[in-house]
């Protein structure tokens, strides 16, 4: 049996998922899981990169200890965040996370140099306060010495791949989220980089998903007990998740449901019109020359934050299970509260419960008095966000969509799936759950010749995993 390994790292946890193909069907096995978290360092919210790297190694060793030696391995993570390396390959400064507030006001400050309308027309990337371009501008102001000393720019998965192989490269799907890559060219926009005053030499050649990056360094081999080939999947986790959508046709809306909800469609050309910019849809690079035309929605982060906050105030520190929170929401199903889930106020509030309570009151609703009402407000808001995003999508593309296809951990939330079906009036197809890891593995399967192409792999998903149909009520 030939095994492949997806290292799938999200904002709150990471998993090493083993995958193989038997009789044409895909099989998955989790071999390692770890917690990911933010830490406050030097006045900023930062990722613990050394800890992340040690967990990547620990998961590889766990794979070997369980009796599996993968032929290939691929890493995917969240987007936009990066590291700068010096001439010796060491990280310069802290790896500041996208939820940090250092980019406040950066867009406005850059408007005279690079108006957002032009920025969007060149890159097709929506405005988010944490776009990499803005993070680099903020770093340039706070620590110009780090940019002066930098020799290499790597996104988070690029850095972990560099640690595995010694090869520095920028993978396309993640690089596209920087708002520094031309939408049409799929390469670094040199003029844009120059106008922002960034050093062009730090950016590496852009490699497409499916590229064989290299093999493990001798040092890593000695640490984990085996050698294998590192293949670039769509290293942006949403790019991987969308590969695992078993869409029936081009009338399907894709929804990757996790910490973020990413809702949109798969296009072969970017849409960079003024109307698209105004609607804040993005054109992120996808596998095989496609574009993920989508809207960022806050997603399960709000629920995760409420759960964490309740645990902090519990006498024994135990967080309520997700089914408990869902049950509480159902009990408060009549609560009408609704907030704008995309408001930046929900990115990293001190108290998510307090922020939701205040937002409901400001919108004219009775303040939610129970955990169930807070949860119902979140569900109301997410479902309504899906409805509005689909309406905008139909207007921008000129297509009428006939289904919503949900992948990722959030596809397990039957209550949210039903609400999504109800408010959109569309059937929802939920699953597979391990969408991101599966999409990561699909690129490896194709590179290894297990499937001839993406369509063959997507067809196999329907035979390999249960997909739940949820009809509007």
């Amino acid at each position: 049996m030939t095994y492949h390994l997806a290292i799938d790292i999200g904002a709150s946890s990471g998993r090493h998922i083993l995958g193989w193909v038997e009789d044409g069907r895909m099989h998955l096995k989790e071999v390692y899981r770890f917690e990911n978290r933010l830490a406050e360092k030097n006045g900023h919210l930062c990722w613990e990169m050394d800890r992340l790297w040690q967990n990547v190694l620990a998961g590889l060793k766990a794979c070997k200890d369980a009796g599996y030696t993968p032929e290939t391995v691929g890493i995917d993570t969240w987007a936009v965040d990066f590291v700068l390396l010096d001439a010796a390959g060491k990280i310069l400064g802290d790896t500041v996370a996208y939820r940090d507030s250092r980019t406040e006001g950066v867009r406005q400050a850059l408007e005279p140099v690079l108006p957002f309308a032009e920025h969007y027309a060149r890159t097709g990337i929506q405005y988010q306060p944490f776009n990499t371009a803005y993070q680099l501008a903020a770093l340039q102001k706070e620590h110009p010495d780090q940019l002066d000393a930098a020799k290499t720019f790597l996104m988070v998965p690029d850095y972990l791949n560099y640690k595995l192989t010694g090869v520095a490269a920028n993978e396309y799907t993640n690089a596209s989220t920087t708002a520094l890559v031309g939408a049409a060219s799929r390469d670094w926009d040199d003029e844009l980089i120059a106008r922002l005053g960034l050093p062009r030499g730090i950016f590496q050649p852009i490699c497409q998903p499916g590229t064989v990056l290299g093999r493990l360094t001798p040092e890593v081999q000695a640490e984990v007990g085996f050698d294998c080939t590192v293949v670039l999947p769509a290293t942006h986790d949403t790019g991987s998740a969308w590969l695992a959508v078993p869409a029936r046709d081009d009338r399907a809306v894709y929804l990757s449901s996790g910490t973020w909800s990413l809702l949109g469609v798969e296009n072969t050309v970017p849409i960079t019109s003024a109307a698209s910019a105004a609607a804040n849809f993005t054109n992120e690079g996808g596998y095989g020359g496609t574009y993920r035309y989508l809207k960022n929605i806050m997603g399960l982060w709000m629920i995760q934050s409420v759960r964490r906050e309740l645990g902090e105030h519990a006498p024994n520190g135990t967080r309520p299970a997700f089914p408990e929170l869902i049950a509480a929401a159902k009990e408060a199903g009549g609560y009408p509260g609704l907030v704008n889930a995309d408001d930046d106020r929900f990115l990293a509030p001190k108290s998510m419960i307090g922020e939701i309570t205040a937002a409901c009151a400001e919108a004219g609703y009775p303040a939610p008095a129970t955990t169930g009402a807070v949860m119902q407000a979140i569900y109301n808001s997410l479902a309504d966000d899906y409805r509005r995003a689909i309406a905008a999508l139909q207007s921008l593309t000129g297509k009428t969509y006939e289904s919503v296809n949900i992948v990722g951990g959030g596809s397990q939330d039957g209550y949210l799936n039903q609400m999504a079906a109800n408010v959109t009036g569309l059937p929802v197809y939920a699953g597979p759950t391990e969408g991101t890891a599966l999409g990561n593995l699909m690129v490896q399967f194709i590179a290894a010749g297990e499937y001839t192409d993406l369509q063959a792999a997507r067809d196999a998903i329907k035979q390999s995993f249960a997909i739940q149909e949820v009809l509007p009520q």
Side-chain angles (χ1 to χ4, degrees):
M1 192 68 63
T2 301
Y3 297 104
H4 307 273
L5 184 66
I7 302 176
D8 170 30
I9 306 175
S12 58
S13 67
R15 296 88 51 77
H16 289 54
I17 308 288
L18 203 71
W20 66 96
V21 176
E22 190 172 1
D23 297 327
R25 295 189 175 189
M26 303 175 185
H27 299 267
L28 306 179
K29 179 181 177 61
E30 182 179 303
V31 293
Y32 186 75
R33 178 180 287 264
F34 61 94
E35 181 185 2
N36 191 19
R37 64 193 181 205
L38 293 172
E40 288 203 24
K41 295 176 65 178
N42 300 314
H44 293 294
L45 290 173
C46 301
W47 298 111
E48 300 174 299
M49 293 306 296
D50 288 342
R51 185 173 175 275
L52 268 183
W53 170 239
Q54 290 305 316
N55 274 291
V56 167
L57 291 177
L60 291 170
K61 287 189 280 189
C63 195
K64 175 69 171 178
D65 292 344
Y68 303 101
T69 302
E71 291 290 321
T72 65
V73 61
I75 298 177
D76 67 78
T77 77
W78 65 96
V80 304
D81 291 338
F82 63 91
V83 301
L84 297 177
L85 304 183
D86 63 17
K90 303 297 183 184
I91 292 180
L92 290 160
D94 300 321
T95 305
V96 179
Y98 64 87
R99 292 194 185 278
D100 187 74
S101 61
R102 66 174 172 170
T103 56
E104 287 181 3
V106 171
R107 172 181 169 175
Q108 292 76 12
L110 289 178
E111 194 69 16
V113 178
L114 183 66
F116 179 73
E118 181 185 352
H119 198 168
Y120 185 88
R122 298 179 76 104
T123 67
I125 297 301
Q126 69 180 325
Y127 169 71
Q128 295 278 14
F130 46 71
N131 283 351
T132 314
Y134 299 149
Q135 291 199 47
L136 283 165
L139 180 67
Q140 193 174 46
K141 182 177 180 180
E142 185 179 13
H143 292 295
D145 54 306
Q146 291 180 16
L147 276 169
D148 290 342
K151 298 299 180 186
T152 307
F153 166 94
L154 297 174
M155 308 294 279
V156 169
D158 298 333
Y159 172 70
L160 297 173
N161 281 326
Y162 169 72
K163 293 284 285 182
L164 286 176
T165 65
V167 179
N170 295 134
E171 186 274 328
Y172 170 58
T173 65
N174 225 308
S176 72
T177 70
T178 62
L180 296 172
V181 171
S185 70
R186 301 190 180 99
D187 203 354
W188 298 113
D189 185 323
D190 290 350
E191 181 186 338
L192 194 158
I193 289 170
R195 285 168 65 180
L196 291 174
L198 301 173
R200 174 62 179 87
I202 65 176
F203 298 99
Q204 306 305 298
I206 290 180
C207 297
Q208 292 294 323
T211 298
V212 173
L213 193 63
R215 298 188 71 82
L216 302 183
T217 66
E219 294 78 11
V220 173
Q221 290 179 44
E223 179 84 9
V224 303
F226 64 90
D227 189 18
C228 68
T229 299
V230 176
V231 174
L232 294 180
T235 66
H236 182 193
D237 50 12
T238 309
S240 279
W242 279 33
L243 294 179
V245 175
R248 290 155 176 76
D249 50 44
D250 66 354
R251 298 289 175 171
V253 172
Y254 294 19
L255 174 58
S256 175
S257 181
T259 299
W260 287 93
S261 288
L262 296 309
L263 185 149
V265 294
E266 196 171 67
N267 287 340
T268 55
V269 294
I271 300 175
T272 58
S273 63
S276 181
N280 215 32
F281 272 72
T282 200
N283 297 265
E284 296 175 352
Y287 176 82
T290 59
Y291 297 87
R292 300 189 311 282
Y293 188 59
L294 59 85
K295 179 86 168 179
N296 276 44
I297 296 170
M298 190 65 71
L300 302 187
W301 164 253
M302 299 175 80
I303 296 174
Q304 293 163 353
S305 298
V306 167
R307 179 172 178 260
R308 187 181 309 112
E309 190 174 338
L310 291 172
E312 290 170 356
H313 293 95
N316 57 2
T318 302
R319 298 174 182 176
F322 287 109
E324 293 177 51
L325 294 176
I326 293 170
K330 288 180 178 179
E331 288 180 13
Y335 178 71
L338 190 69
V339 302
N340 177 12
D342 298 331
D343 196 311
D344 290 348
R345 69 192 294 175
F346 301 118
L347 271 176
K350 295 295 183 183
S351 167
M352 183 64 76
I353 294 172
E355 204 67 44
I356 291 168
T357 300
C360 284
E362 290 165 18
Y365 297 104
T370 64
T371 296
V374 169
M375 289 297 300
Q376 186 61 33
I378 294 174
Y379 281 116
N380 291 342
S381 305
L382 291 178
D384 187 65
D385 219 345
Y386 298 163
R387 178 192 60 78
R388 289 185 286 108
I390 291 172
L393 192 62
Q394 292 184 145
S395 174
L396 291 163
T397 64
K399 287 185 177 181
T400 299
Y401 295 100
E402 299 173 352
S403 66
V404 180
N405 294 251
I406 304 179
V407 298
S411 68
Q412 300 176 91
D413 191 332
Y415 189 51
L416 182 56
N417 294 343
Q418 187 64 65
M419 289 190 69
N422 293 349
V423 301
T424 63
L426 299 174
V428 166
Y429 297 94
T433 302
E434 294 290 356
T436 304
L438 181 56
N440 180 326
L441 286 164
M442 287 164 65
V443 174
Q444 298 182 57
F445 291 155
I446 294 167
E450 304 273 12
Y451 297 104
T452 55
D453 55 25
L454 177 57
Q455 190 56 55
R458 277 178 167 161
D459 289 342
I461 291 175
K462 301 169 191 175
Q463 309 303 319
S464 306
F465 305 96
I467 309 297
Q468 181 185 13
E469 182 180 21
V470 182
L471 299 176
Q473 294 179 351

